């Protein structure tokens, strides 16, 4: 077995391998490319291929991210973003060799901790689906410790998503709701700077979609809240893959019905694209989505971290 850099020449082979072994995460080629080659954090040292007799039998992709340290600063974190090994070559040390090499490259670049999957703004999942049991055992054996769970929810888009009556009530309360336009980007970025700076990259992506895949609530010329879709896992598709979010409403405006209207506007757009179901990833307010659109928990992920000594 030989380890070498994964290159764009391997895209077709790596994509085929991924869809062969990642049974719960089948990806269109364009989305696979987005996860690997369209992520500025993926460098040659962090994209590795394993070969046997010249054939690709495994690969690993990692990224470096700056994350809040909880004390007002940041910490340099590595993330194992994708890992796949041909089933015929599993249990032969190939996955372990790929992870070890990736970890060494991350530590050399200043990582003090390494996590699995959670690499926003460009990520596939916020952790490890425990149904990939061999992967779970591999990482736990190598010192990864579980931090928490993360969940996805699914929403039926065939339901009634009309918001006209609710928007009329908001308008009577001097709140307007509309799709964002390109001229709104500075105001939106200022709002995110004040409330959710970590989401700026994902929301910035929505301004490059046509139409802009972002809806806004305004009061007195100021942004009250936002909701987005097609901000991640899009690939080259004009319609994306049906991912909702991020969304947020300023604390002072909560309880006025703003969030529900913004949510339904995005879901209606995705229904118009032809999606029957939308995924709400990495959910915190489960009750909110269950109450307003009948969303249900569809997947659970384990969030893992390995602390490393630099």
């Amino acid at each position: 077995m030989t380890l070498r850099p994964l290159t764009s020449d391997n895209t077709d082979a790596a994509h085929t391998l991924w869809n062969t072994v990642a049974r719960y995460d089948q990806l269109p080629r364009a989305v696979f490319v987005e996860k690997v080659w369209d992520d500025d954090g993926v460098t040659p040292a962090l994209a590795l291929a394993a070969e046997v007799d010249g054939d690709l039998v495994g690969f690993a992709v990692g990224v470096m991210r700056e994350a809040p340290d909880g004390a007002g600063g940041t910490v340099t974190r590595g993330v194992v973003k994708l890992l796949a090994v041909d089933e015929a070559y599993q249990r032969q040390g190939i996955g372990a060799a790929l992870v070890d090499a990736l970890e060494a490259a991350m530590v050399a670049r200043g990582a003090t901790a390494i996590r699995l999957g959670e690499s926003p703004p460009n990520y596939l999942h916020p952790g490890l689906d425990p149904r990939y049991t061999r992967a779970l055992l591999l990482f736990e054996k190598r010192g990864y410790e579980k931090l928490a769970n993360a969940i996805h929810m699914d929403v039926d888009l065939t339901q009634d998503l009309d918001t006209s009556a609710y928007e009329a009530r908001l308008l009577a309360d001097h709140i307007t709701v509309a799709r964002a336009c390109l001229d709104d980007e500075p105001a939106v970025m200022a709002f995110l700077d004040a409330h959710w700076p970590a989401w700026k990259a994902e929301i910035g992506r929505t301004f490059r979609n046509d139409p802009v895949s972002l809806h806004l609530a305004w009061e007195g010329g100021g942004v009250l809240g936002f909701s987005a879709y097609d901000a991640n896992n899009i690939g080259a598709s004009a319609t994306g893959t049906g991912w909702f979010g991020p969304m947020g409403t300023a604390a002072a405006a909560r309880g006025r019905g703003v969030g529900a209207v913004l949510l339904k506007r995005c879901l209606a757009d995705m229904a118009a694209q032809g999606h029957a179901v939308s995924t709400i990833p990495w959910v915190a307010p489960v009750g909110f989505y269950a109450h307003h659109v009948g969303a249900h928990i569809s997947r659970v992920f384990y969030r893992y971290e390995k602390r490393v000594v630099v």
Side-chain angles (χ1 to χ4, degrees):
M1 188 270 293
T2 303
L3 293 185
R4 62 166 180 79
L6 183 73
T7 68
S8 58
D9 291 340
N10 304 125
T11 298
D12 288 337
H15 175 236
T16 298
L17 175 57
W18 176 265
N19 279 346
T20 299
V21 301
R23 66 191 64 187
Y24 308 112
D25 296 288
Q26 301 292 286
L27 296 179
R29 186 182 188 279
V31 176
F32 182 81
V33 169
E34 176 189 292
K35 296 303 100 185
V36 182
W37 307 120
D38 291 347
D39 189 330
D40 292 340
V42 175
T43 65
L46 299 178
L48 304 174
E51 289 185 341
V52 172
D53 296 329
D55 294 327
L56 183 75
V57 299
F59 69 90
V61 176
V63 293
M64 303 295 294
R65 296 287 198 247
E66 295 297 314
D69 64 1
T74 60
V75 60
T76 301
R77 182 183 295 156
V79 182
V80 180
K81 191 173 184 181
L82 301 176
L83 174 68
V85 177
D86 188 319
E87 288 188 354
Y89 291 90
Q90 291 179 11
R91 296 184 175 180
Q92 297 182 32
I94 293 174
L98 284 164
V99 171
D100 287 348
L102 203 55
E103 288 179 358
M106 292 174 178
V107 171
R109 284 155 181 76
T112 58
I114 301 173
R115 293 196 179 183
L116 306 182
E118 49 182 283
S119 60
N122 185 327
Y123 72 101
L124 180 61
H125 287 309
L128 176 66
D129 186 327
R131 291 177 294 179
Y132 296 120
T133 306
R134 288 184 180 177
L136 182 153
L137 295 173
L138 168 69
F139 285 111
E140 288 191 346
K141 185 177 180 179
R142 312 203 79 70
Y144 288 78
E145 298 181 351
K146 186 180 175 186
L147 297 174
N149 291 337
I151 65 171
H152 283 3
M153 300 184 80
D154 279 356
V155 184
D156 177 7
L157 297 183
T158 65
Q159 65 183 286
D160 181 9
L161 296 168
D162 180 64
T163 60
S164 55
Y166 300 99
E167 290 183 36
R169 293 173 199 161
L170 289 178
L171 189 59
D173 197 25
H174 309 292
I175 298 172
T176 58
V177 183
R179 182 185 302 277
C181 64
L182 294 179
D183 290 343
D184 295 328
E185 188 167 6
V188 171
M189 291 301 154
F191 180 75
L192 292 173
D193 273 330
H195 299 281
W196 295 283
W199 286 342
K200 290 179 67 177
E202 286 178 82
I203 296 302
R205 176 66 178 82
T206 68
F207 283 99
R208 299 196 296 275
N209 294 333
D210 185 17
V212 176
S213 55
L214 177 71
H215 292 267
L216 302 172
W218 300 83
E219 183 178 40
V223 178
L224 285 183
F226 68 93
S227 66
Y229 64 98
D230 285 354
N232 207 337
N233 291 339
I234 310 161
S237 170
T239 60
T241 53
W243 268 37
F244 171 80
M247 76 167 292
T249 304
R254 292 171 190 164
R256 300 170 71 181
V258 172
V261 169
L262 291 170
L263 165 64
K264 290 182 179 181
R265 272 179 158 256
C266 286
L267 296 182
D269 280 357
M270 285 186 280
Q273 289 177 334
H275 295 291
V277 176
S278 173
T279 296
I280 307 174
W282 211 335
V283 176
V286 172
F288 170 82
Y289 293 111
H291 173 71
H292 288 290
V293 292
H296 65 274
I297 295 172
S298 54
R299 294 186 72 176
V300 176
F301 301 87
Y302 291 177
R303 297 176 62 205
Y304 280 99
E305 180 177 85
K306 180 178 181 177
R307 303 294 298 177
V308 295
V309 178
V310 180

